[in-house]
Amino acid sequence: MHDHALPDRHAAPRYLDPFAWLVRMVVWALAVGVLALLMASNRAARLDHALYDLHMRHWGWDPGNDVVIVAIDPASLDALGRWPWPRELHARLIDRLTAAGVRGIGMDVTVSEPNVAHLQNDQAFAAAIARNGRVVMPVFAEAQELGGMLQEILPIPAVAKAAAAMGQVDVAVDDDRVVRSAYLMAGLGSPYWPSLALALARLDRDAGSKVLPGLRDNALDPRSPYLWERDNLVRLRYAGPDGSFGRVSYADVLNGKVPAALLKGRLVLVGATAEGMGDIINTPDGNIPGVEYQANVLAALRRGETILPLNLAGQFLLGASLLLLPLGLYGLPGLHRAWRAAAVSSLACLLLSVLLLRLAHLWWPPAACVLLMLGGTALLWLLARLDVLTRRRQHRRRIATGFAA
């Protein structure tokens, strides 16, 4: 037996055969069950990550010039000495930015312990923050001892009181240690802290009036006061590799070497970019400093470039619907072989995922569907070949028996 295509005159009757469609529905039901298992076990996640990363590397965007990074870079460390610096320097920096007319400041710099030896520096820092009136300070969760319970680490009281807002600096790391997403809300017990980028964006009236995007976590209740809860998950479309955002040196701003025109009306993020300061994040575009990550979230929020991941129910329903496609195509003119219908259907899945991403800013991971289509076709082909071999052996045995008789 050979896997020849049927003549066209037989295609319609066989394609419309009710028994054949009953068999297809049984196959579809089995495939849907396997799809549910694949999604529950997250087996296709690595392939989905690879597809997402490949697409994102070829889908850059211009973040504009309204977000500027004041970088704690190697040049600043050379000029101002080893980290940590006296907080009096941070106070002077904020006064410089205030005088330049910046729109808001996000400090991705931790000040969780008072400087007992120089309390006047803490007071000067808090006073500079109050004078600006639009400074966001970071919040994060950390265990005080190995294996201990998480605690929220806030700025020292004087700084926290002077800040216009506070935002969490949590980073959404995938299982392969790559950061493709951000949680816009997080906190101990319940997600009540906005991200640093979101808190800074809300300082603008236009940004604050928008509905908060992101995939909601409907399993937050009942909440534990000891767990770091996250909500409003968004996928990120990174503006590009390191250097996509305007960047000026901390020391240059402090020393008045940066023209005020480069800062006026901008949203400013202050953070470390120097290697060795422990704030490097692995993204699909390569390694970037944490402050650049915050800049990407901020610019994406302001320009509507965040991507909404479909929830599990949406992923499952769309995937189950698409698994009908190869069963419906098989037997049509030009598609009398299963592998052709599977190939067309697999390409349609990949194309739909890209179109949802590009046109609707929705992420649907297609790998599980594609694997089922291709894997199912390979299994059917293998079974067909085994059937052919079995029939040939039986035919040879009958011939041998006839000769013997």
Side-chain angles (χ1 to χ4, degrees):
M1 294 179 63
H2 298 281
D3 186 20
H4 291 304
L6 293 175
D8 285 346
R9 67 177 181 274
H10 299 308
R14 177 164 294 190
Y15 181 78
L16 299 176
D17 181 13
F19 179 74
W21 274 100
L22 177 62
V23 172
R24 294 183 192 204
M25 289 301 99
V26 172
V27 172
W28 175 75
L30 292 173
V32 169
V34 177
L35 175 66
L37 290 175
L38 284 175
M39 292 179 60
S41 62
N42 215 24
R43 293 288 184 181
R46 288 189 178 274
L47 185 54
D48 284 320
H49 290 336
L51 292 171
Y52 185 86
D53 294 349
L54 178 64
H55 186 68
M56 286 300 158
R57 292 189 192 105
H58 298 86
W59 193 31
W61 60 289
D62 181 7
N65 61 0
D66 54 350
V67 177
V68 175
I69 294 173
V70 174
I72 302 171
D73 54 6
S76 296
L77 293 173
D78 290 340
L80 302 175
R82 294 179 58 184
W83 186 263
W85 295 331
R87 289 168 189 168
E88 183 268 338
L89 294 182
H90 298 328
R92 287 171 50 198
L93 176 80
I94 290 178
D95 283 338
R96 285 282 189 184
L97 295 174
T98 302
V102 299
R103 187 182 301 171
I105 304 170
M107 293 291 293
D108 193 10
V109 176
T110 303
V111 287
S112 57
E113 297 287 342
N115 187 345
V116 178
H118 300 91
L119 289 177
Q120 70 276 11
N121 286 353
D122 290 350
Q123 294 300 323
F125 186 30
I129 291 173
R131 282 193 293 272
N132 180 278
R134 301 178 71 81
V135 177
V136 180
M137 295 300 297
V139 176
F140 61 96
E142 186 177 77
Q144 295 299 304
E145 56 186 28
L146 186 63
M149 290 186 299
L150 289 176
Q151 297 181 21
E152 286 183 346
I153 310 299
L154 278 65
I156 58 176
V159 170
K161 183 178 180 181
M166 288 187 285
Q168 48 86 12
V169 288
D170 188 20
V171 177
V173 183
D174 287 331
D175 50 8
D176 59 354
R177 311 307 299 171
V178 178
V179 178
R180 303 176 179 87
S181 309
Y183 286 96
L184 299 182
M185 302 295 295
L188 269 184
S190 64
Y192 48 84
W193 291 115
S195 70
L196 183 73
L198 175 61
L200 186 55
R202 281 176 168 174
L203 293 180
D204 283 341
R205 288 189 297 272
D206 293 340
S209 64
K210 295 179 181 177
V211 176
L212 188 61
L215 177 63
R216 302 301 310 275
D217 186 351
N218 296 321
L220 287 175
D221 290 320
R223 298 183 174 102
S224 168
Y226 308 110
L227 294 179
W228 183 253
E229 304 284 4
R230 299 155 141 188
D231 205 0
N232 293 95
L233 175 68
V234 294
R235 282 260 171 168
L236 294 177
R237 178 186 170 197
Y238 287 95
D242 187 29
S244 296
F245 291 88
R247 184 182 294 189
V248 292
S249 174
Y250 185 112
D252 287 344
V253 176
L254 192 66
N255 296 325
K257 296 181 179 179
V258 176
L262 293 180
L263 300 170
K264 185 176 182 179
R266 309 295 202 276
L267 291 173
V268 173
L269 285 161
V270 181
T273 62
E275 293 184 10
M277 295 189 69
D279 195 20
I280 300 299
I281 293 172
N282 185 21
T283 76
D285 288 325
N287 292 337
I288 62 172
V291 68
E292 186 104 11
Y293 171 74
Q294 296 293 340
N296 272 278
V297 179
L298 175 59
L301 286 171
R302 288 176 53 77
R303 293 173 174 261
E305 294 293 343
T306 56
I307 295 167
L308 177 66
L310 283 179
N311 59 24
L312 283 177
Q315 293 179 34
F316 178 75
L317 290 175
L318 183 55
S321 301
L322 286 170
L323 286 175
L324 288 168
L325 187 58
L327 301 175
L329 292 177
Y330 179 54
L332 291 176
L335 297 171
H336 301 309
R337 296 184 179 180
W339 69 266
R340 291 181 179 174
V344 171
S345 301
S346 299
L347 289 175
C349 283
L350 295 173
L351 180 61
L352 177 62
S353 180
V354 171
L355 289 176
L356 286 173
L357 201 55
R358 291 257 181 168
L359 302 181
H361 281 206
L362 290 173
W363 168 239
W364 171 66
C369 266
V370 173
L371 288 175
L372 275 173
M373 290 174 182
L374 298 180
T377 302
L379 179 60
L380 290 175
W381 179 86
L382 180 61
L383 292 175
R385 297 307 300 169
L386 289 174
D387 180 61
V388 169
L389 292 175
T390 301
R391 289 174 181 272
R392 285 177 178 175
R393 288 195 191 98
Q394 292 174 347
H395 180 65
R396 289 170 184 167
R397 193 176 295 117
R398 284 195 292 267
I399 292 176
T401 304
F403 277 125

